[in-house]
Amino acid sequence: MADVMLEIKKINVYFGVIRALRDVSFYVEKGEVVALIGANGAGKTTTLHTITGLLKPASGSIFLGGVDITKTPAHKIVSMGMAHVPEGRRVFSLLTVEDNLRLGAYTRKDKKEIAESMEEVFTSFPRLKERRSQTAGTLSGGEQQMLAMGRALMSKPSILLMDEPSMGLSPLFVDEIFSIIEKIKKQGTTVLLVEQNANKALSIADHAYVLETGSIAMEGKASELLNDERVRKAYLGA
Amino acid sequence: MKFLSQLISGISLGSIYALIALGYTMVYGIAKMLNFAHGDVIMVGAFVVYTACVKGGMNPVLGVLLAIVFCTVLGVCIERLAYKPLRQAASLAVLITAIGVSYLLQNLALLIFKSDTKQFSSVVMIKPVTVAGLTVSGEIIATIIVSVVIMVALTLFVNKTKPGKAMRAVSEDKGAAQLMGINVNGIISLTFAIGSALAAIAGALMCSTYPALSPYTGAMPGIKAFVAAVFGGIGSIPGAMVGGVLLGVIENLSKGYISSQLSDAIVFAVLILVLLIKPTGIMGKKMTEKV
């Protein structure tokens, strides 16, 4: 654990009396892509929401770059270098593509640097540039996913949390989204990826954790999990 | 000629409804609650102007500015003390609290100013204008000009500025807005501040045109403005403007041509009709289900 970017220590999260997460612990090393896989309802989204402060754990703690962020309100997390691409994209459908991207840079001050980041996003996602003055609600699902990713990148995060980026997309778009995630990794950004498409996720990840009914059931190198009998049976359909 | 004069004073009355309706609709859009104490903030604003100018002899412009500051602070305090602790509560609890705050403000005003109706003196210093035999009062001119300026400024603010865009983001998706680093509580406070400042201006203009002031002065215009907001499509800023002006014109024309006793009944009947035909209001957005 030389260079830990994000560390989750024994978090427990409740929805009323139901315990959604049980003593979940894992860590993400700097520069890696870590995948969190599991079935529907295993607690993947809950885990991400707890990390970015949209939910508060009943116990346990979360460290970002060694700093305890367990009690930090959600709106202060992004300026600490962590961005979150939420499940279902959640772009602001009534605002234009450009305004969505600008909101991604809400906590940044330097106008010139923001303009540079905008150009970088447009280089990675040329389609967004074409549609910059359209309202986000008029984009296709794949384009909205690109916008949600671009919007998160506008905060210049050192770690990016992505929740089901391939959900509901055509196979062509899925491939494109995953090649962009690899590009993001190459640029030095750490990625925590939640995916139901375990095959795809494990093939680009360095490490992976398997979440089952609210607790970590397995962990290891992504390449090893990809060949693990249990994982193959339960999540890869082979 | 009678029609034209009825129409102009209807637009003026409607502009006041629109200013109040903006407060209702913005708070609904951002905090998803109906702030039924909003009408009483108008009354508070009018009483501040009354105390400062009529009693204290202050310059009317300064008096109105004082009322704006007072109501802005009041609006933010109401939100912080009464509504913020209920952020996670059922919407019915928030609604009942809002009605409670409304009674609280009315009764505080009763305690301080007593129940008798006060004679308000106009804060407008514009002389009446006569064009082709039609005389328009200074109050009507001032109301229409001030309202147009405010509506243009507010539209620019919401569409062009960073806090304005943040407001629209919060209105659409609070969770995603937080992920952008937007302080949702701060935006809600800002919304209450703007709405209450507009209510203070509406109070001063309304009592200048209809110079009677009592602790219940805000109740009826508050309800009418709420109707205007629903009429235009609650949550929509242009909707509140259009709804407010239309409501004022319909009310005044019914008073002039049908019956002044039935005018309120006609106004509410039109609301029911509009909602039957278009349940989201004139400019209301159709809510699309998210997948």
Coordinates of all heavy atoms in Angstrom, one line a residue, chain A residues 54 74-75 78 84 90-95 99 103-104 106-108 151, chain B residues 162 165-166 168-169 172-173 175-183 187 285:
Chain A
L54 N -23.0 11.7 -0.5 CA -24.4 11.8 -0.7 C -25.2 11.0 0.4 O -26.3 11.3 0.7 CB -24.8 11.4 -2.1 CG -24.4 12.3 -3.2 CD1 -24.7 11.6 -4.6 CD2 -25.0 13.6 -3.1
A74 N -21.1 16.6 0.8 CA -20.9 16.2 -0.6 C -20.4 17.3 -1.5 O -19.5 17.1 -2.3 CB -22.2 15.7 -1.2
H75 N -20.8 18.5 -1.3 CA -20.5 19.6 -2.2 C -19.0 20.1 -2.0 O -18.5 20.8 -2.7 CB -21.4 20.8 -2.1 CG -21.4 21.6 -0.8 ND1 -22.1 21.3 0.3 CD2 -20.6 22.6 -0.4 CE1 -21.9 22.1 1.2 NE2 -20.9 23.0 0.8
V78 N -15.7 17.6 -4.2 CA -15.2 17.8 -5.6 C -13.9 18.6 -5.6 O -13.0 18.3 -6.3 CB -16.3 18.3 -6.6 CG1 -16.7 19.7 -6.3 CG2 -15.8 18.1 -8.0
H84 N -17.5 12.4 -9.4 CA -18.4 11.3 -9.4 C -19.3 11.4 -10.7 O -20.0 12.3 -10.8 CB -19.2 11.3 -8.1 CG -20.1 10.2 -7.9 ND1 -20.7 9.9 -6.7 CD2 -20.7 9.3 -8.7 CE1 -21.5 8.9 -6.7 NE2 -21.5 8.5 -8.0
R90 N -27.5 11.5 -15.1 CA -27.9 12.7 -14.4 C -27.3 14.0 -14.9 O -26.9 14.8 -14.1 CB -27.7 12.5 -12.9 CG -28.7 11.5 -12.4 CD -28.4 11.0 -11.0 NE -28.8 12.0 -10.0 CZ -28.8 11.7 -8.7 NH1 -28.4 10.5 -8.2 NH2 -29.1 12.6 -7.8
V91 N -27.4 14.2 -16.2 CA -27.0 15.5 -16.8 C -28.1 16.4 -16.5 O -29.3 16.0 -16.3 CB -26.7 15.4 -18.3 CG1 -25.4 14.5 -18.5 CG2 -27.8 14.8 -19.1
F92 N -27.9 17.7 -16.5 CA -28.9 18.7 -16.3 C -29.6 18.9 -17.7 O -29.1 19.7 -18.6 CB -28.3 20.0 -15.8 CG -27.6 19.8 -14.5 CD1 -26.3 19.9 -14.4 CD2 -28.3 19.4 -13.3 CE1 -25.6 19.7 -13.2 CE2 -27.7 19.1 -12.1 CZ -26.3 19.3 -12.1
S93 N -30.7 18.3 -17.9 CA -31.3 18.1 -19.2 C -31.8 19.5 -19.8 O -31.9 19.6 -21.0 CB -32.4 17.1 -19.2 OG -33.5 17.6 -18.3
L94 N -32.1 20.4 -18.9 CA -32.7 21.7 -19.5 C -31.6 22.7 -19.7 O -31.8 23.8 -20.3 CB -33.7 22.3 -18.5 CG -34.9 21.4 -18.1 CD1 -35.7 22.0 -17.0 CD2 -35.7 21.2 -19.4
L95 N -30.3 22.4 -19.3 CA -29.2 23.3 -19.6 C -28.5 22.8 -20.8 O -28.5 21.6 -21.2 CB -28.3 23.3 -18.4 CG -28.6 24.3 -17.3 CD1 -29.9 24.0 -16.6 CD2 -27.5 24.4 -16.3
D99 N -23.1 24.6 -20.7 CA -23.5 25.0 -19.3 C -23.3 23.8 -18.4 O -22.8 23.9 -17.3 CB -24.9 25.5 -19.2 CG -25.0 26.9 -19.7 OD1 -24.0 27.6 -19.8 OD2 -26.1 27.4 -19.9
L103 N -20.7 23.8 -15.2 CA -21.1 23.4 -13.9 C -20.1 22.4 -13.3 O -19.9 22.3 -12.1 CB -22.5 22.9 -13.8 CG -23.6 24.0 -13.9 CD1 -24.9 23.4 -14.0 CD2 -23.5 24.9 -12.6
G104 N -19.5 21.6 -14.2 CA -18.5 20.6 -13.7 C -17.3 21.3 -13.2 O -16.6 20.8 -12.3
Y106 N -17.5 24.1 -11.5 CA -18.2 25.1 -10.6 C -17.2 25.6 -9.5 O -17.2 26.8 -9.1 CB -19.4 24.5 -10.0 CG -20.2 25.4 -9.1 CD1 -21.1 26.3 -9.7 CD2 -20.2 25.4 -7.7 CE1 -21.8 27.2 -9.0 CE2 -20.9 26.3 -7.0 CZ -21.8 27.2 -7.6 OH -22.5 28.0 -6.8
T107 N -16.4 24.7 -9.0 CA -15.5 25.1 -7.8 C -14.2 25.7 -8.3 O -13.4 26.1 -7.4 CB -15.2 23.9 -6.9 OG1 -14.7 22.9 -7.7 CG2 -16.5 23.4 -6.3
R108 N -14.0 25.7 -9.6 CA -12.7 26.3 -10.1 C -12.9 27.8 -10.4 O -14.0 28.2 -10.8 CB -12.2 25.5 -11.3 CG -11.8 24.1 -11.0 CD -11.6 23.3 -12.2 NE -10.4 23.8 -12.9 CZ -10.1 23.4 -14.1 NH1 -10.8 22.5 -14.7 NH2 -9.0 23.9 -14.7
R151 N -18.2 16.3 -17.9 CA -18.6 17.2 -16.8 C -17.8 16.9 -15.6 O -17.3 17.8 -14.9 CB -20.1 17.1 -16.6 CG -20.7 18.0 -15.5 CD -22.2 17.8 -15.3 NE -22.4 16.5 -14.7 CZ -23.6 16.0 -14.4 NH1 -24.7 16.8 -14.6 NH2 -23.8 14.9 -13.8
Chain B
K162 N -23.4 32.5 -13.2 CA -23.0 31.2 -12.5 C -24.0 30.8 -11.4 O -24.4 29.7 -11.4 CB -21.6 31.4 -12.0 CG -20.9 30.0 -11.7 CD -19.4 30.2 -11.5 CE -18.9 29.1 -10.6 NZ -17.4 29.2 -10.4
K165 N -27.2 29.7 -13.0 CA -27.1 28.3 -13.6 C -27.1 27.3 -12.5 O -27.7 26.2 -12.6 CB -25.9 28.2 -14.5 CG -26.1 28.9 -15.8 CD -24.8 29.0 -16.6 CE -24.9 29.9 -17.8 NZ -23.6 30.1 -18.5
A166 N -26.4 27.6 -11.4 CA -26.4 26.7 -10.3 C -27.8 26.5 -9.7 O -28.2 25.4 -9.4 CB -25.5 27.2 -9.2
R168 N -30.6 26.6 -11.5 CA -31.3 25.7 -12.4 C -30.9 24.3 -12.2 O -31.7 23.4 -12.3 CB -31.1 26.2 -13.8 CG -31.8 27.5 -14.1 CD -31.3 28.2 -15.4 NE -31.7 27.4 -16.5 CZ -31.0 27.5 -17.7 NH1 -30.0 28.3 -17.8 NH2 -31.5 26.8 -18.7
A169 N -29.6 24.1 -11.9 CA -29.1 22.8 -11.7 C -29.7 22.2 -10.5 O -30.1 21.0 -10.5 CB -27.5 22.8 -11.6
E172 N -33.2 21.1 -10.9 CA -33.4 19.8 -11.7 C -32.9 18.6 -11.0 O -33.6 17.6 -11.0 CB -32.6 19.9 -13.0 CG -33.2 18.9 -14.1 CD -32.5 19.1 -15.4 OE1 -32.2 20.2 -15.8 OE2 -32.3 18.0 -16.1
D173 N -31.8 18.7 -10.3 CA -31.3 17.5 -9.6 C -30.3 17.9 -8.5 O -29.2 18.2 -8.7 CB -30.5 16.6 -10.6 CG -30.1 15.2 -10.1 OD1 -29.9 15.1 -8.9 OD2 -30.0 14.3 -10.9
G175 N -29.0 16.1 -6.0 CA -27.8 15.2 -5.8 C -26.7 15.5 -6.8 O -25.5 15.7 -6.4
A176 N -27.1 15.6 -8.1 CA -26.0 15.8 -9.1 C -25.4 17.2 -8.9 O -24.2 17.4 -9.1 CB -26.7 15.7 -10.5
A177 N -26.2 18.2 -8.5 CA -25.7 19.5 -8.2 C -24.7 19.5 -7.1 O -23.6 20.2 -7.2 CB -26.9 20.5 -7.9
Q178 N -24.9 18.7 -6.1 CA -23.9 18.6 -5.0 C -22.6 18.0 -5.5 O -21.5 18.4 -5.1 CB -24.4 17.7 -3.9 CG -25.5 18.4 -3.0 CD -25.9 17.4 -1.9 OE1 -25.1 17.1 -1.0 NE2 -27.1 17.0 -2.0
L179 N -22.7 17.0 -6.4 CA -21.5 16.4 -7.0 C -20.7 17.4 -7.8 O -19.5 17.2 -8.0 CB -21.9 15.2 -7.9 CG -22.5 14.0 -7.2 CD1 -22.8 12.9 -8.2 CD2 -21.6 13.5 -6.1
M180 N -21.4 18.5 -8.3 CA -20.6 19.6 -9.0 C -19.9 20.5 -8.0 O -19.2 21.4 -8.4 CB -21.6 20.4 -9.9 CG -22.4 19.7 -10.9 SD -21.4 18.8 -12.1 CE -21.6 17.1 -11.6
G181 N -20.2 20.3 -6.7 CA -19.6 21.2 -5.7 C -20.6 22.4 -5.4 O -20.1 23.3 -4.7
I182 N -21.8 22.3 -5.8 CA -22.8 23.4 -5.5 C -23.3 23.1 -4.1 O -23.8 22.1 -3.8 CB -23.9 23.4 -6.5 CG1 -23.4 23.7 -7.9 CG2 -25.0 24.4 -6.1 CD1 -24.4 23.4 -9.0
N183 N -23.3 24.2 -3.3 CA -23.8 24.1 -1.9 C -25.3 24.3 -2.0 O -25.8 25.5 -2.2 CB -23.1 25.2 -1.1 CG -23.7 25.2 0.4 OD1 -24.6 24.6 0.7 ND2 -23.0 26.0 1.2
I187 N -27.8 27.8 -2.1 CA -28.7 28.1 -3.2 C -30.1 28.3 -2.7 O -30.9 29.2 -3.2 CB -28.6 27.1 -4.3 CG1 -27.2 27.0 -5.0 CG2 -29.7 27.3 -5.4 CD1 -26.8 28.2 -5.8
K285 N -43.5 22.7 -17.5 CA -42.8 21.6 -18.2 C -43.5 20.3 -18.0 O -44.0 20.0 -16.9 CB -41.3 21.5 -17.7 CG -40.5 22.7 -18.0 CD -39.3 22.8 -17.1 CE -39.7 23.8 -15.9 NZ -38.7 24.0 -14.9

